[in-house]
Amino acid sequence: MNAADLSTLISRIDFAWITTFHIIYPPLTIGLAMLLFFAEWRWVRSKDEGWYRLCRFFERLFIVNFGAGVATGVTMEMAFGILYGPFSQAAGPFFGQVLGYETITAFMYEAGFIGLMIFGWGRISQRMHLFATANVAISSTLSAMWILCANSWMQSPTGVELRDGVFHVVDWGEAILNPHFLTAFPHMLIAAVELSICFVAAVSAWFLLKRRHVALFQRALKYSILSLIFVAAVQVWVGDELGQTVAETQPAALAAMEGHYETHNPDGSVNSSWNVIGWPNADNDGMGWSIAIPHVLSLLETHSWDGAVQGLNEFDQQDRPPIAATFYSFRVMVAIGGVLLLLALWGAWLAARGRLSVERVTENTWFLKAVVVAGVLPYLAIWTGWWTREIARQPWVVYGLMRTEDGVSHMSPELAIFWFVGFAIFEIGVTLGTIHFLAKICRHGPDVNSPVAFDPHDNDGMAPAGQADHTAAQTA
Amino acid sequence: MHTLSASQQVLIFAWWFALGVSVLIYIALDGADLGAGIFSLFVRDHDERGAIMAAMAGTWDANETWLIVAGGILFGTFPYVYGSAFNYLMVPLAFVLWGIMARAVALEFRHLASPFWQRFSDGVFGVASLTVTFFGGMSVGAVLHGYPMTEEAGRVPTYVGGAFAFITPFSIWVGIASTIAMTLAGLLFVRARFEKDEPIRQDAAKWTATIFYLAIAAVAVTTAWSALIFPWAANRWFGPGIWIWGILFIVSLFAIIQMRRATHQDRDLAAVLWFNGAAVIMGLGMLATMFPYLIPGTWTIWDAASPEVSITTFTLTMGGFIPVMIMYNAYQIWVFRARVTKLAAHAH
């Protein structure tokens, strides 16, 4: 491997690292904002203080997570130019504008309402606060939309023309609504919701295992597990849709994800075998060993018994993505999707038998432990999902049009390593800090004693009647 | 590379101005936070350091948003500069980003930490503020030099120099000068945000005169040095338009004198505003000196602009979001305008 290839490889690792350590935070911001809105809306509607306490407690976790997201996110905006200068220049007319839209319509919009949401309790009216929370959820969703739009365009670059080394936009509609965007954005958005539901469920299950605030967290657990049934099922379906999109637009990527080398068997029939697990051989022209099931691949990708799926051997070696990393990260993601669905069904079964009631919920020790452990699974699924997506696009930075080595900044391997080491130290620091403080807030537990932040317009500066009694009852 | 229509030229000019204004607003707002951070390195009292951080708790992230906006405009409208300049500034920007990251974490997490980790976070906050200021200033100095680029037919010129080309005596000096200027902004911030009889405010007041004269000297040296080594600056300043630059010079001198008078009379808000006024005038003066270059000798704003600049995006941004953001930012600063005492360290 020469110095240029090594630099390219390390700068890919650099970017993978900063993205990997940024993507930990935004999904929780997006999904939890929606769940906070739900809890706050239930509180405003039903005047049930439990919803208020849950909302305030999870908001504290939200803030820590949000801070870490901003800290690692500022880097992202600059990193395109630093690590992928030539790519940023060539793709700037589309990609840069879309990221600019993200800054303007999402980041600034979100920054405005998040201040109101955090500092506004008791200072602005209940309705105004609910409105602020809704806007935080909407703006963070918009942010995800633009980011996924930009990334999807790199996967399926439509609506542009490569002239003089620059991607000129010929059709904005086609470029924005590119094939990947229409399936990848829903997939990511649902992933964010699924992750947040699992996060809330895991925190609640931990409190239930400790038998603290059982009534409060039983409610959070029940709602999250029951909504997970729906969300996890939809995610499996949307994930399959995205798989179809990949099959249509990036056949080499799909073949790598499935470790699929030969389109046809030696006897001329369609090779429809799906590799459960395996490892590519040293020449990278077939699987060294694998456990395969006939017909499953055709069923998965073409939804037919014998549909042909293009194999890797139809692509030049230099046009193939790395196989093993793609193959395994894809499998881990899919497996987690399945496990979360099973977990939700387990919860549904318990709920149907009345075992998730306030009186009995703490008896389900194994289920609660499983839910706590499952809190990390969506994080792992999002990581492996993104690794699959980004590695399977290689050797292209803009699929089929611009190679990664042409898009990477001019730098030496030493410099790329210097970047990596620096960001490794800082981002691990941020992550450890975040985990530490999330845990600390959880150990401290929800505040069930201080008076409910009331509506400043509903009264003459006095606490609403009966509030003190209500709080006392909750504490008892 | 490509031809621009007349309306595109107007838009590009407007975007260039918006970019400059975003950077200057960022320097005016976050400069005070950074300077207060540098000052906190010299504050011995644990709670006073905490109070400095508490004083900016509600506004620092909104202030930093202007940097993100500048980055967004640069990538969206001037992608050729974004892709090449950031490649050139890879090393100093890495330090700036680490500093921003560390500062954000220190600010957000301090109130949750135990006393030992609070002291650690105070140190991180101070050093990170210094790092961001120094390397940020150094990047500006390095950009004024311009940088070498590839010349390949059919491809966008990209950066070809080494990773350490940014280190020159002048860029190091601009880093030092920025540190001095931002420290002054920080002192004014501390004076404006603490109760009048707080000891920390009196310490800040004591240092103001020294730092003030150092800052004047820093500006003078930077200007003279620029005139000596940059023909584009000397030609413009001492060319036929010399009277315009003379007026600008007198106006900024006036703002500086007013700032000094305001600090003498303990009018803290006025001092901050005059400081920002002087900084904005000098910043705009520098942008005008470079015009039509965005990077002197390297990229003019016309060559650097994306061929896709459109009136839609511009209207959306300038007509809709920027005014809303300015109003929101102003409202936020207004909400958190009250003077604090060192007890604010425990206010969370």
Side-chain angles (χ1 to χ4, degrees):
Chain A
M1 191 181 271
N2 63 33
D5 286 347
L6 187 61
S7 301
T8 306
L9 179 67
I10 301 171
S11 62
R12 271 177 56 205
I13 295 172
D14 279 352
F15 206 87
W17 177 271
I18 59 173
T19 336
T20 298
F21 274 78
H22 177 58
I23 196 68
I24 300 173
Y25 312 107
L28 186 62
T29 303
I30 296 164
L32 196 52
M34 294 181 196
L35 303 184
L36 288 176
F37 172 76
F38 176 79
E40 192 178 345
W41 172 67
R42 291 310 307 148
W43 170 58
V44 170
R45 269 310 170 96
S46 67
K47 306 284 175 222
D48 179 339
E49 199 188 307
W51 286 117
Y52 172 79
R53 298 295 176 199
L54 281 174
C55 184
R56 293 302 300 266
F57 173 68
F58 281 103
E59 190 188 275
R60 294 180 62 205
L61 299 173
F62 175 92
I63 295 166
V64 168
N65 177 71
F66 179 78
V70 174
T72 52
V74 174
T75 301
M76 297 294 307
E77 196 199 27
M78 312 288 171
F80 290 104
I82 297 173
L83 295 170
Y84 287 86
F87 159 75
S88 302
Q89 292 180 311
F94 176 76
F95 193 87
Q97 285 244 332
V98 170
L99 288 201
Y101 292 154
E102 195 268 339
T103 307
I104 295 159
T105 63
F107 191 89
M108 287 157 68
Y109 175 17
E110 185 178 26
F113 280 101
I114 215 143
L116 277 180
M117 185 175 112
I118 295 171
F119 295 106
W121 289 104
R123 290 186 191 158
I124 52 178
S125 72
Q126 274 181 5
R127 275 167 169 280
M128 186 61 201
H129 194 279
L130 186 61
F131 178 72
T133 310
N135 277 290
V136 170
I138 294 169
S139 56
S140 51
T141 304
L142 270 177
S143 161
M145 186 195 86
W146 287 121
I147 297 298
L148 263 291
C149 171
N151 177 271
S152 296
W153 175 83
M154 292 164 68
Q155 310 285 344
S156 52
T158 47
V160 292
E161 202 177 273
L162 189 56
R163 254 188 288 131
D164 301 329
V166 176
F167 291 97
H168 292 262
V169 182
V170 286
D171 185 336
W172 274 99
E174 239 182 73
I176 289 177
L177 300 176
N178 60 75
H180 266 255
F181 174 57
L182 299 175
T183 38
F185 170 54
H187 193 51
M188 185 67 223
L189 188 62
I190 297 169
V193 175
E194 194 170 358
L195 176 134
S196 307
I197 289 173
C198 289
F199 179 84
V200 169
V203 170
S204 306
W206 182 79
F207 277 99
L208 294 173
L209 279 170
K210 300 265 170 195
R211 293 173 199 264
R212 291 170 61 188
H213 307 286
V214 171
L216 209 53
F217 287 105
Q218 177 268 345
R219 177 185 295 178
L221 181 78
K222 197 178 79 186
Y223 273 83
S224 45
I225 288 294
L226 294 182
S227 56
L228 187 61
I229 303 171
F230 175 71
V231 172
V234 171
Q235 183 69 321
V236 171
W237 174 65
V238 174
D240 177 60
E241 291 290 308
L242 180 56
Q244 305 286 318
T245 312
V246 174
E248 284 159 24
T249 55
Q250 301 175 313
L254 183 93
M257 282 156 67
E258 301 292 14
H260 178 60
Y261 281 90
E262 296 292 347
T263 315
H264 294 92
N265 293 319
D267 63 5
S269 64
V270 169
N271 175 12
S272 62
S273 294
W274 181 65
N275 298 309
V276 186
I277 52 168
W279 199 265
N281 66 23
D283 293 335
N284 192 22
D285 61 3
M287 292 300 265
W289 62 270
S290 69
I291 301 173
I293 313 173
H295 297 293
V296 174
L297 184 69
S298 298
L299 281 173
L300 283 174
E301 308 311 338
T302 64
H303 292 188
S304 70
W305 188 247
D306 264 332
V309 177
Q310 224 176 350
L312 280 168
N313 286 344
E314 295 189 18
F315 300 91
D316 281 347
Q317 287 277 4
Q318 51 152 358
D319 289 342
R320 295 181 195 176
I323 315 294
T326 321
F327 182 82
Y328 278 102
S329 43
F330 178 60
R331 263 152 192 69
V332 170
M333 176 193 72
V334 170
I336 290 174
V339 167
L340 292 179
L341 184 58
L342 289 178
L343 183 78
L345 292 174
W346 184 4
W349 180 72
L350 290 176
R353 300 189 32 170
R355 285 171 59 185
L356 290 188
S357 63
V358 179
E359 296 75 29
R360 300 188 55 195
V361 65
T362 53
E363 293 166 15
N364 309 299
T365 321
W366 282 107
F367 176 68
L368 293 175
K369 281 180 181 165
V371 173
V372 171
V373 173
V376 297
L377 291 183
Y379 285 94
L380 204 55
I382 284 181
W383 274 359
T384 47
W386 272 103
W387 296 340
T388 307
R389 188 170 170 81
E390 295 297 293
I391 298 173
R393 194 191 55 235
Q394 303 302 326
W396 307 97
V397 64
V398 179
Y399 193 77
L401 295 176
M402 186 179 200
R403 284 181 174 270
T404 307
E405 72 240 32
D406 297 326
V408 75
S409 284
H410 172 85
M411 71 179 121
S412 64
E414 291 82 5
L415 200 63
I417 292 172
F418 156 81
W419 241 73
F420 180 79
V421 172
F423 276 92
I425 292 169
F426 278 89
E427 287 180 329
I428 287 175
V430 173
T431 307
L432 290 179
T434 308
I435 294 171
H436 172 77
F437 290 116
L438 288 177
K440 190 166 182 178
I441 291 173
C442 286
R443 278 199 304 277
H444 196 254
D447 166 14
V448 289
N449 298 322
S450 48
V452 172
F454 49 82
D455 193 329
H457 302 303
D458 265 4
N459 55 71
D460 303 318
M462 306 285 287
Q467 184 183 281
D469 305 338
H470 205 82
T471 313
Q474 276 281 327
T475 322
Chain B
M1 197 180 316
H2 48 259
T3 48
L4 296 161
S5 66
S7 64
Q8 278 188 320
Q9 293 201 7
V10 174
L11 282 177
I12 289 167
F13 182 82
W15 271 123
W16 166 75
F17 190 72
L19 176 66
V21 168
S22 302
V23 172
L24 289 174
I25 295 180
Y26 169 72
I27 292 173
L29 295 178
D30 202 42
D33 295 351
L34 289 170
I38 298 170
F39 179 62
S40 80
L41 285 171
F42 302 95
V43 174
R44 287 208 188 83
D45 187 296
H46 182 74
D47 284 347
E48 283 181 352
R49 287 194 302 260
I52 289 177
M53 289 156 88
M56 62 184 80
T59 46
W60 71 269
D61 54 343
N63 296 346
E64 277 187 8
T65 304
W66 289 101
L67 185 66
I68 308 289
V69 171
I73 295 177
L74 199 61
F75 200 174
T77 308
F78 302 106
Y80 307 140
V81 167
Y82 172 85
S84 54
F86 282 20
N87 190 172
Y88 166 53
L89 299 173
M90 176 174 193
V91 174
L93 286 186
F95 282 103
V96 168
L97 291 174
W98 296 337
I100 287 179
M101 209 188 291
R103 266 182 102 238
V105 174
L107 273 162
E108 285 296 290
F109 292 167
R110 185 191 200 265
H111 68 278
L112 293 166
S114 61
F116 170 79
W117 286 104
Q118 284 189 346
R119 275 192 295 281
F120 176 75
S121 111
D122 290 346
V124 168
F125 175 67
V127 172
S129 301
L130 182 63
T131 309
V132 173
T133 312
F134 177 77
F135 283 101
M138 203 170 168
S139 304
V140 172
V143 158
L144 294 181
H145 281 292
Y147 47 81
M149 296 210 294
T150 53
E151 285 173 42
E152 264 180 76
R155 296 197 62 173
V156 187
T158 61
Y159 176 65
V160 279
F164 299 100
F166 75 98
I167 303 175
T168 67
F170 179 73
S171 70
I172 294 173
W173 165 253
V174 177
I176 296 169
S178 316
T179 308
I180 297 170
M182 291 308 113
T183 307
L184 180 60
L187 290 175
L188 298 179
F189 172 83
V190 169
R191 292 179 64 158
R193 288 305 312 278
F194 278 85
E195 290 288 354
K196 294 231 168 184
D197 47 3
E198 282 285 305
I200 182 177
R201 187 175 174 281
Q202 286 158 11
D203 286 343
K206 223 163 42 199
W207 277 100
T208 311
T210 318
I211 303 292
F212 173 79
Y213 288 111
L214 274 176
I216 301 258
V219 170
V221 171
T222 311
T223 314
W225 198 334
S226 305
L228 280 175
I229 62 171
F230 300 131
W232 49 267
N235 293 343
R236 187 142 296 179
W237 290 342
F238 305 114
I242 188 166
W243 56 276
I244 303 178
W245 306 101
I247 292 174
L248 265 184
F249 176 74
I250 290 167
V251 172
S252 40
L253 203 61
F254 175 74
I256 291 170
I257 293 168
Q258 287 296 326
M259 170 178 69
R260 186 71 193 125
R261 284 186 52 201
T263 55
H264 269 310
Q265 296 162 357
D266 244 12
R267 290 182 293 121
D268 296 325
L269 180 63
V272 170
L273 291 177
W274 282 116
F275 175 87
N276 287 337
V280 167
I281 292 165
M282 289 188 272
L284 289 178
M286 205 60 204
L287 280 175
T289 308
M290 288 192 278
F291 186 83
Y293 280 97
L294 192 55
I295 310 288
T298 310
W299 287 105
T300 66
I301 66 170
W302 320 117
D303 288 339
S306 155
E308 306 297 337
V309 286
S310 80
I311 190 77
T312 323
T313 316
F314 185 80
T315 316
L316 196 70
T317 317
M318 292 303 134
F321 289 96
I322 296 269
V324 170
M325 194 174 154
I326 290 177
M327 278 190 291
Y328 178 78
N329 216 177
Y331 170 74
Q332 218 179 10
I333 292 169
W334 178 249
V335 167
F336 295 104
R337 73 193 179 283
R339 287 177 189 271
V340 299
T341 67
K342 75 176 186 180
L343 292 177
H346 304 286
H348 271 286

